[in-house]
Amino acid sequence: IMAIVAVLIKLDSPGPVFFRQKRHGFNNQIIRVWKFRTMRPDKAAEEGKIVQTQSNDDRVTKIGKFLRKTSLDELPQLLNIIAGEMSLVGPRPHAVGMTSEETEVHNIVGEYAHRHRMKPGLTGWAQINGSRGPVHTKELVRERVRLDMEYVEKASFWFDFYVILMTAPCLLGDSKVDR
């Protein structure tokens, strides 16, 4: 699947197949998260100057729209999991310097840093509960962090198993969410 996606990206637009972005990992350590490139190349975004994606964002490539909708753009994060930087389940890693309503997200919610008490995940409790994609308002940030903290408190093998089982149906059923 990854090889096919890589070929489609190369056929769709010039630039690299992969995109690596600085994100917060375990204990707030900075990690470089791998993704398939879904937008036109942007060195500023790779270095942390983040402008979250909007609906009908013209920076997103044709194949990128499909990859985002299906979350196939996230598959290269399996490399982060193999490297021990991420887990299959956990709070999704946010980009360093991410903002919402022109405020850095860590300044919006007091317990924001607590979500980094465990490795970030490829999928998580917030994602299967509808908090996927960009968070353009402070209220959306608060809700995502609330769900992440709920996961941190409940984390167990069986809870992770449940999140993994629910991920595919949630991905297929939330076509209204911008990604």
Side-chain angles (χ1 to χ4, degrees), residues 120-132:
L122 182 61
T123 187
W125 183 240
Q127 287 64 44
I128 68 166
N129 282 285
S131 184
R132 297 181 39 76

Side-chain angles (χ1 to χ4, degrees), residues 65-164:
K65 289 177 187 173
F66 171 76
L67 295 175
R68 285 171 170 264
K69 190 168 217 51
T70 60
S71 291
L72 288 172
D73 61 321
E74 309 286 351
L75 279 179
Q77 289 170 35
L78 292 171
L79 298 171
N80 292 102
I81 292 168
I82 291 168
E85 299 168 323
M86 289 178 63
S87 177
L88 281 175
V89 181
R92 288 288 300 144
H94 290 171
V96 173
M98 189 173 91
T99 62
S100 184
E101 295 181 13
E102 299 182 18
T103 304
E104 285 199 35
V105 292
H106 68 268
N107 291 323
I108 295 172
V109 182
E111 66 232 5
Y112 182 80
H114 295 297
R115 63 193 301 281
H116 301 125
R117 290 187 293 182
M118 57 184 17
K119 287 182 185 178
L122 182 61
T123 187
W125 183 240
Q127 287 64 44
I128 68 166
N129 282 285
S131 184
R132 297 181 39 76
V135 285
H136 294 295
T137 67
K138 291 178 181 177
E139 190 53 41
L140 289 173
V141 171
R142 287 184 192 99
E143 177 61 8
R144 172 135 343 136
V145 173
R146 183 190 71 74
L147 289 164
D148 286 342
M149 292 310 300
E150 198 172 295
Y151 171 77
V152 169
E153 299 303 321
K154 291 181 175 181
S156 71
F157 172 81
W158 292 111
F159 192 50
D160 284 3
F161 186 70
Y162 174 77
V163 171
I164 291 168

Side-chain angles (χ1 to χ4, degrees), residues 24-40:
H24 294 283
F26 178 65
N27 281 338
N28 217 25
Q29 178 184 16
I30 305 300
I31 61 173
R32 288 259 185 186
V33 172
W34 289 86
K35 293 185 74 161
F36 280 121
R37 182 179 56 81
T38 60
M39 300 172 81
R40 287 162 187 62

Side-chain angles (χ1 to χ4, degrees), residues 4-72:
I4 292 168
V5 170
V7 169
L8 292 173
I9 290 169
K10 285 309 253 183
L11 292 173
D12 184 47
S13 65
V17 169
F18 297 106
F19 173 75
R20 289 183 66 204
Q21 186 178 54
K22 290 180 182 177
R23 300 214 179 173
H24 294 283
F26 178 65
N27 281 338
N28 217 25
Q29 178 184 16
I30 305 300
I31 61 173
R32 288 259 185 186
V33 172
W34 289 86
K35 293 185 74 161
F36 280 121
R37 182 179 56 81
T38 60
M39 300 172 81
R40 287 162 187 62
D42 184 357
K43 194 67 172 168
E46 288 182 34
E47 295 305 316
K49 294 172 183 74
I50 307 305
V51 177
Q52 292 191 55
T53 311
Q54 304 284 333
S55 291
N56 301 316
D57 197 315
D58 63 356
R59 297 173 297 163
V60 179
T61 63
K62 290 175 191 168
I63 190 67
K65 289 177 187 173
F66 171 76
L67 295 175
R68 285 171 170 264
K69 190 168 217 51
T70 60
S71 291
L72 288 172

